[in-house]
Amino acid sequence: MDFVRVTTAAMLGTLIAVCWFHSTARAGEQSGKQQEDAAFIERLIGQMTLEEKAGQLTQLGMLVTPTGPVVDNKGQKPIGIAEVGSLLGVYGAEVTRRLQREAIQGSRLHIPLLFSHDVIHGFRTVFPTPLAEASAWDTDLSQRTARAAAVEATASGLHWTYAPMVDIARDPRWGRVIEGSGEDPFLGATLAAARVRGFHGKGFPDTSTILSTAKHFVGYGAAEGGRDYNISEMSQRTLEEVYLPPFRAAVEAGVDTIMAGFNEIDSTPMHANRMLLKDKLRDEWGFQGPIISDFNGVSELMQHGVASTTQEATRRAFNATIDINMASADYATELPALVRSGQLPQSLIDDAVRRVLQTKQRLGLFDDPYRYSDTTREKALTSMPRTRALAREAGQKSIVLLKNEGALLPLPKNLRKLVVVGALANDAQSTLSFWSAAGRAEESITVLEGIKRAVAPGTHVVYVSGASPESLDTSGIDEARRAVNDADAVVAVLGETADMSGEARSRASLDLPGAQNALVAQLHSTGKPIVVILMNGRPLAIPTVDKQVPAILEAWFLGSEMGHAVADVLFGDVNPSGKLPITFPRTVGQIPLYHAHKNTGRPPDKANVYTSKYLDEEWTPLYPFGYGLSYTTFTYGVPKLSQRQLTFDETLTVEVEVHNSGQRTGDETVQLYLRQDVATITRPVRTLRGFSKVRLAPGETKTVKFLLDQDDLALLGDKLLRFVEMGTYQVFVGGNSSTDNGASFEVMTSAQLPERYPAIPHLPHESAQR
Ligand code: BGC
């Protein structure tokens, strides 16, 4: 019997990284080099004009496809590269070197530029989208893909990525659900920290270290109605318990910058939200890095209706501690006037400029402005075979087996005739998905290609498009039906195109778009064995497909190696192990639907009409959070607790035996949920508090061990202070969030815990992931 440990003591190490700016600022404790560096920055600030300072706080957007209106500086003299602090959306060792030279030679004080871009899930080699990768529940994997993305991006001249996106999202209508880690703050916080660590690698001044950004601070994922850019409405407690923890974890992992969200909270747009940016992030959490606006977000304070001029918008944003204005010239034009008229103190501008210059100094750009722009390194480090292999591995681990009736999967490789159906099967661009950075469709393996490469030489693979997500045209369905008639098996690739999820890609429906449902119905009527492979950026409502089709693989968008990864799982070279990081509803009408919901005073009860449910639909999800099957089966023992009663400061040990009762080796993500039966405030029916991935050979049993301490038990009680309350609690341990495999215990004493912010979930111990 093996022991797999999930320890709760891993946070300590990450705390060290929180205050790197602090540590350089404290006189007396600084090393000689630090003092020299600080003096250099102060001298530079002392030489700068107000205009030069405002320029450092301005970022020009050079995106090929801007995500908002491209703002010019209102007809005034165009701003030159040498007059700003950073650029967005430009990369390539050669071009960044050229632009850097322009900035250095063209500016009076020769201050280097920062080059930034959205490196969200890979760069030239594209990895699974963050939501897909979250299905692996694998911190080590997320750290490694972030590292590999950083290696490629920095070799291409980039200093700064706008990732990780750590917004919790519980409404799949919101297209940006694809960019984050799903609905749960524990999983979200864990992966946020892993990605920050990955982007950093060895840390500065290593030239493969990239500046990371936690975005979009905060609550952007709660956009009302799932409509992008909409307002978010939530209680302070929900903000603290659900939406802030991943940001807190990113800060503790040493994230370099934070980006504000387009949303408002409590009637204050985030770009003017001093209470959250200044009081919470800077003062309470001690975050000292630069805070950047989102694309044109400062100027949009006027549309929000909290500023009537660009000058007022600038003043409000700057006062809220937004240091850098993205894709806008407003800071460059307005900040000097605001200081001269006494509306902003010069010292505030200096503070912001200091943060920007210190960042450039950490990157070593004052010593060598071109150190990230090296064409030889770019060539050597781009699309390396090991990076492609990592993309394939990440793809395999991100796939979730949703259904496998009659053990239809895995398919044998030597079928006589295999028919592949669906426009997405042959759509290379869609494998890459939104925010594909420097990814190239021609370098990506489609599902069709992956299948063709995997099957035995004698297998006849026939491809028919049949139907597309983009059109209601059903005229191709007949051809698909005919092709399927003499097939041994059918693989239907269904879902969304790359362009259907991502920013500004909200959908009012979660159904399969276009004529795809009609295609499935026709395929089903042939009686052939059908496997559905889903390609999508959000949970889809697929109750009919679930009824009609025996096998379903959720493959999301897996990036450059998608076709290989899908074929690996489809034909059983790899046993699927993904678990959903977000609930799949039966219909859009159930949204919001998430596992950590409240019980209500009238929990759903089929026998009682006056309970919380629907007349026309079940209240339960189609697939719950944490759900995912394997080609083998796992059975769980009852959780064993170290004690049934404990005081608030004791640590409870929960052990559970997990047994592989099937015929193949498989990986299982063991999940621990906690419930407090009665509290002073209502609590979720269950809250994820731990997970651990174990590999089990057929017949093998392992004991998985979790530790729960006061931070895991704490709630935000009166005045949002943290308490451990007396009373009974239950733990549930199993393979998804609906498990009933539980045990109860009692906390005999209560206490207020010292810190004001919510219990940040303890990060699983690294070694527990293997
Ligand atoms: C998005 C950000 C992104 C920025 C720059 C904005 O529209 O909201 O997430 O980092 O564009 O591309």
Side-chain angles (χ1 to χ4, degrees):
M1 202 157 55
D2 236 5
F3 242 34
V4 178
R5 228 174 100 78
V6 174
T7 170
T8 56
M11 292 302 286
L12 272 179
T14 58
L15 279 171
I16 295 163
V18 180
C19 295
W20 55 268
F21 275 98
H22 270 327
S23 59
T24 54
R26 248 182 256 130
E29 292 170 25
Q30 293 176 334
S31 69
K33 166 88 173 97
Q34 281 170 328
Q35 279 175 6
E36 232 173 73
D37 284 351
F40 173 84
I41 298 292
E42 292 316 312
R43 265 201 314 278
L44 197 50
I45 293 176
Q47 290 166 21
M48 291 168 82
T49 64
L50 254 183
E51 279 68 21
E52 283 165 341
K53 289 176 184 173
Q56 284 303 306
L57 307 179
T58 296
Q59 177 171 103
L60 283 189
M62 301 187 77
L63 286 177
V64 188
T65 47
T67 49
V70 179
V71 184
D72 65 17
N73 57 341
K74 317 286 184 296
Q76 298 176 26
K77 176 172 110 24
I79 292 207
I81 302 267
E83 294 168 85
V84 297
S86 52
L87 298 181
L88 159 69
V90 52
Y91 52 82
E94 204 175 312
V95 68
T96 52
R97 178 171 279 267
R98 182 168 53 71
L99 292 169
Q100 191 69 291
R101 189 172 307 117
E102 217 175 291
I104 297 285
Q105 293 177 354
S107 63
R108 187 176 69 94
L109 295 168
H110 315 298
I111 301 179
L113 286 166
L114 288 174
F115 296 104
S116 68
H117 194 47
D118 296 283
V119 182
I120 309 285
H121 55 111
F123 185 66
R124 175 75 165 267
T125 307
V126 180
F127 297 115
T129 59
L131 185 68
E133 195 186 76
S135 308
W137 294 55
D138 189 333
T139 49
D140 176 59
L141 178 73
S142 290
Q143 185 167 333
R144 285 189 291 133
T145 56
R147 180 88 292 273
V151 167
E152 282 194 351
T154 51
S156 199
L158 285 169
H159 306 124
W160 185 3
T161 174
Y162 298 125
M165 189 277 217
V166 303
D167 294 317
I168 297 300
R170 296 179 161 182
D171 189 334
R173 290 173 297 181
W174 192 52
R176 301 198 79 168
V177 74
I178 190 176
E179 285 176 58
S181 297
E183 73 182 42
D184 185 78
F186 183 105
L187 184 61
T190 307
L191 296 179
R195 289 181 172 135
V196 169
R197 287 196 301 269
F199 287 132
H200 281 175
K202 286 194 215 126
F204 300 109
D206 182 87
T207 45
S208 75
T209 295
I210 196 163
L211 294 166
S212 54
T213 308
K215 68 185 189 185
H216 308 81
F217 195 82
V218 55
Y220 181 39
E224 261 187 10
R227 190 158 53 83
D228 206 2
Y229 315 121
N230 204 356
I231 68 156
S232 309
E233 213 30 272
M234 65 183 73
S235 70
Q236 183 71 23
R237 181 172 280 108
T238 301
L239 182 67
E240 295 277 356
E241 286 190 336
V242 178
Y243 291 90
L244 282 170
F247 285 96
R248 177 80 199 184
V251 169
E252 291 188 346
V255 77
D256 305 279
T257 66
I258 304 267
M259 186 189 294
F262 284 127
N263 58 301
E264 66 170 59
I265 293 270
D266 195 20
S267 302
T268 308
M270 282 313 304
H271 284 76
N273 203 317
R274 193 175 155 87
M275 221 168 76
L276 286 169
L277 292 172
K278 174 78 171 70
D279 301 351
K280 166 76 59 188
L281 185 56
R282 283 241 187 275
D283 296 347
E284 194 183 318
W285 291 5
F287 176 70
Q288 297 293 306
I291 298 177
I292 184 167
S293 81
D294 203 342
F295 200 105
N296 196 41
V298 173
S299 163
E300 285 167 22
L301 291 176
M302 292 190 285
Q303 279 82 16
H304 277 287
V306 297
S308 47
T309 60
T310 44
Q311 187 167 96
E312 207 179 333
T314 300
R315 185 182 53 75
R316 288 204 65 165
F318 200 75
N319 254 330
T321 192
I322 299 226
D323 299 309
I324 302 173
N325 196 358
M326 177 191 283
S328 164
D330 290 351
Y331 269 24
T333 52
E334 304 296 354
L335 281 178
L338 282 163
V339 174
R340 288 195 178 104
S341 62
Q343 294 178 71
L344 278 180
Q346 165 87 40
S347 62
L348 274 192
I349 308 277
D350 288 353
D351 289 346
V353 170
R354 186 174 298 110
R355 286 189 271 269
V356 172
L357 297 179
Q358 280 177 334
T359 303
K360 294 180 175 183
Q361 190 172 53
R362 288 171 71 216
L363 285 155
L365 297 181
F366 287 113
D367 298 328
D368 175 6
Y370 308 104
R371 57 197 302 270
Y372 278 63
S373 303
D374 173 345
T375 47
T376 314
R377 208 175 79 227
E378 181 177 42
K379 207 159 167 231
L381 299 182
T382 301
S383 300
M384 289 183 294
R386 70 162 187 267
T387 316
R388 294 288 298 209
L390 177 61
R392 185 168 181 162
E393 177 196 340
Q396 295 162 347
K397 290 179 172 168
S398 302
I399 293 173
V400 186
L401 178 62
L402 296 176
K403 187 175 178 190
N404 196 15
E405 213 171 75
L408 175 60
L409 290 176
L411 292 179
K413 284 184 181 169
N414 59 355
L415 293 169
R416 186 188 47 85
K417 180 179 175 187
L418 179 61
V419 177
V420 180
V421 182
L424 287 170
N426 204 21
D427 179 350
Q429 189 59 44
S430 287
T431 63
L432 301 182
S433 174
F434 212 82
W435 300 123
S436 51
R440 296 183 183 178
E442 66 274 19
E443 292 175 1
S444 192
I445 310 294
T446 62
V447 174
L448 179 61
E449 186 60 28
I451 289 174
K452 282 184 175 162
R453 290 186 190 186
V455 291
T459 299
H460 185 35
V461 176
V462 175
Y463 172 64
V464 196
S465 165
S468 150
E470 287 176 306
S471 142
L472 291 168
D473 181 7
T474 52
S475 60
I477 295 182
D478 267 354
E479 191 198 350
R481 208 173 182 284
R482 280 195 301 275
V484 160
N485 268 336
D486 62 338
D488 296 324
V490 183
V491 173
V493 185
L494 310 171
E496 302 177 310
T497 62
D499 208 34
M500 289 177 176
S501 44
E503 183 172 350
R505 269 63 176 178
S506 295
R507 289 184 60 205
S509 158
L510 295 176
D511 294 345
L512 280 176
Q516 297 181 101
N517 271 323
L519 174 66
V520 179
Q522 284 300 312
L523 295 175
H524 171 62
S525 69
T526 64
K528 294 287 174 189
I530 303 169
V531 179
V532 162
I533 292 173
L534 290 173
M535 276 176 77
N536 46 307
R538 53 157 66 82
L540 294 173
I542 51 157
T544 316
V545 175
D546 181 70
K547 255 191 224 110
Q548 294 178 333
V549 165
I552 307 174
L553 282 171
E554 173 54 84
W556 310 105
F557 297 118
L558 298 180
S560 310
E561 286 286 327
M562 175 147 193
H564 284 146
V566 166
D568 292 338
V569 169
L570 187 66
F571 298 109
D573 290 336
V574 169
N575 190 353
S577 59
K579 300 277 189 178
L580 295 177
I582 186 163
T583 303
F584 271 47
R586 295 166 194 277
T587 166
V588 72
Q590 293 179 302
I591 297 299
L593 189 68
Y594 49 93
H595 73 287
H597 62 85
K598 300 291 182 75
N599 204 35
T600 81
R602 296 186 178 191
D605 175 0
K606 270 207 170 102
N608 185 350
V609 68
Y610 291 101
T611 58
S612 182
K613 56 188 189 318
Y614 299 102
L615 284 179
D616 53 354
E617 187 52 272
E618 303 279 329
W619 66 82
T620 54
L622 186 60
Y623 309 116
F625 174 81
Y627 175 83
L629 305 170
S630 164
Y631 294 154
T632 188
T633 46
F634 300 104
T635 49
Y636 282 76
V638 176
K640 288 194 201 102
L641 310 186
S642 55
Q643 62 223 80
R644 289 284 169 178
Q645 295 187 325
L646 58 148
T647 54
F648 83 92
D649 53 352
E650 283 182 298
T651 298
L652 180 75
T653 304
V654 181
E655 285 180 3
V656 70
E657 284 190 352
V658 189
H659 173 68
N660 183 343
S661 47
Q663 306 302 316
R664 301 174 61 111
T665 296
D667 293 336
E668 170 73 334
T669 299
V670 182
Q671 302 153 43
L672 180 140
Y673 297 87
L674 182 73
R675 175 178 183 143
Q676 186 174 353
D677 293 327
V678 178
T680 50
I681 52 164
T682 62
R683 301 302 294 146
V685 293
R686 53 187 63 189
T687 315
L688 182 69
R689 275 287 172 259
F691 62 88
S692 177
K693 222 167 168 170
V694 285
R695 170 159 297 176
L696 293 168
E700 193 182 4
T701 300
K702 280 184 182 169
T703 297
V704 178
K705 179 169 162 179
F706 297 91
L707 303 178
L708 290 176
D709 70 9
Q710 53 186 25
D711 285 328
D712 299 297
L713 301 178
L715 55 71
L716 287 185
D718 195 28
K719 299 193 175 68
L720 297 184
L721 294 169
R722 290 202 310 149
F723 292 92
V724 177
E725 293 187 349
M726 284 194 289
T728 55
Y729 294 71
Q730 298 178 59
V731 283
F732 299 96
V733 185
N736 69 67
S737 61
S738 70
T739 177
D740 285 330
N741 185 36
S744 60
F745 64 95
E746 192 175 357
V747 177
M748 309 297 290
T749 58
S750 62
Q752 185 187 328
L753 300 187
E755 291 170 78
R756 197 167 169 274
Y757 61 87
I760 301 293
H762 285 105
L763 305 182
H765 197 265
E766 288 299 276
S767 64
Q769 299 299 314
R770 276 169 277 263

